[in-house]
Amino acid sequence: MSFRRVAFVLTGFALLPGSLPVHGAAPGSRAQALVAEALKTPTAYSRLRVLTDTIGNRLAGSAAEPAAVAWARSEFEKDGIRTHLEPVMVPVWVRGQALVELVAPVARPLTVLALGGSVGTPPDGITAPVVVVDSIEQLQTMGAERVRGRIVLFDNPFVRTGDEFADYGKAVKPRGSGATEASRLGAVAVLVRSVATASLSTPHTGALRYEDGVAKIPAAAVTLEDAALLHRLAESGGEVRVHLVLGCRTEPDRPGANVIAEIPGSVQPEEVVLIAAHLDSWDVG
């Protein structure tokens, strides 16, 4: 293949220039050759093992992130690939501790993870009644009168129909923008059913997006089991109240770097194919 490939870290590690299929082959055969070559060598797995087992979790802005950047650059350079660092400012979000308890109609702890980028609660937390919806659209039909001063639970299941991208996009929508939409109607916090098809009482975090001009409210993911419990209790007709404490916070951006590697092509080096992948990971991954 004759091009200049510019790759962010974690792309193409198992494939050296000499292993690429010949220029002019059909696209399908080229892809199959790339896959076949990757499966013949343990390079990608051995590198992944070092990244995950030695460097470990590497949330953007954490102490492990610079170590991951240095490791990625070193691995590229070992392969003789031209590499440089591109300075960037890195956002710093700290998860802190999370405590969520069902306080009415029964008392019991709930298992949660703050959503990435969430604001924290006041130190004493938030205690409020819960209103359950299955989508942002249903939330918007309820109006501020039924939402103001409450914690909104998005009990939106991840239903798989065979179109993975579409299914995930639908399931993840409340996680991404649910806090903003609930805040518009006066909600004080948001709980989101974990975007997962299986749980075993394990919550799944993920990122949210706040919108400028809308008050930021705390948001956390609950397990599938706890979302179902809250939904059942709400359907019984009594008031469901939850106490939520999130210690997450955002700190000033700090300097970081993208790792850029280039493989010049021999026939059309002026053409560029860009492959990007993120090097960071969730802190609980």
Side-chain angles (χ1 to χ4, degrees):
M1 299 178 72
S2 55
F3 51 76
R4 169 178 291 171
R5 182 177 64 182
V6 182
F8 287 99
V9 290
L10 299 185
T11 51
F13 273 1
L15 299 174
L16 301 184
S19 69
L20 298 176
V22 298
H23 178 65
S29 64
R30 291 203 301 269
Q32 291 171 3
L34 287 169
V35 172
E37 185 68 26
L39 292 175
K40 288 193 300 184
T41 173
T43 304
Y45 179 80
S46 63
R47 283 171 165 160
L48 179 64
R49 184 171 56 204
V50 174
L51 180 63
T52 57
D53 293 347
T54 303
I55 297 174
N57 302 329
R58 48 203 181 279
L59 191 65
S62 67
E65 189 211 5
V69 168
W71 166 85
R73 183 178 191 178
S74 174
E75 291 299 301
F76 274 126
E77 290 175 342
K78 286 178 184 177
D79 287 341
I81 298 175
R82 186 168 62 201
T83 310
H84 69 276
L85 300 184
E86 177 185 68
V88 294
M89 295 303 293
V90 179
V92 182
W93 179 76
V94 180
R95 180 178 300 280
Q97 294 185 330
L99 170 66
V100 181
E101 297 176 299
L102 175 63
V103 295
V106 295
R108 61 176 290 176
L110 303 176
T111 305
V112 305
L113 282 174
L115 295 185
S118 174
V119 298
T121 64
D124 294 335
I126 295 171
T127 302
V130 175
V131 58
V132 181
V133 298
D134 61 16
S135 65
I136 290 176
E137 291 74 20
Q138 184 184 17
L139 170 73
Q140 293 168 337
T141 65
M142 299 183 74
E145 296 78 13
R146 298 174 60 188
V147 176
R148 186 178 296 112
R150 291 172 168 79
I151 296 172
V152 173
L153 166 66
F154 287 97
D155 187 22
N156 178 43
F158 187 173
V159 178
R160 302 175 70 178
T161 66
D163 186 341
E164 297 290 344
F165 286 105
D167 295 341
Y168 180 77
K170 182 177 180 180
V172 81
K173 185 177 178 181
R175 190 175 74 187
S177 57
T180 291
E181 297 305 324
S183 179
R184 293 187 199 277
L185 299 176
V188 295
V190 160
L191 298 175
V192 177
R193 174 184 170 127
S194 292
V195 182
T197 55
S199 172
L200 296 177
S201 291
T202 303
H204 293 231
T205 191
L208 59 73
R209 301 179 303 278
Y210 289 121
E211 185 174 315
D212 292 342
V214 181
K216 298 178 180 180
I217 60 175
V222 298
T223 65
L224 273 59
E225 295 86 350
D226 285 343
L229 168 66
L230 294 172
H231 199 156
R232 292 195 302 271
L233 291 173
E235 286 182 333
S236 69
E239 183 179 73
V240 180
R241 295 180 67 85
V242 164
H243 178 64
L244 170 68
V245 180
L246 295 182
C248 41
R249 66 187 187 276
T250 298
E251 298 182 351
D253 293 357
R254 70 159 184 79
N258 291 323
V259 184
I260 312 297
E262 297 181 74
I263 303 176
S266 59
V267 178
Q268 295 170 300
E270 74 285 355
E271 294 190 4
V272 175
V273 173
L274 175 65
I275 303 174
H278 63 85
L279 180 58
D280 60 338
S281 78
W282 284 112
D283 52 318
V284 292

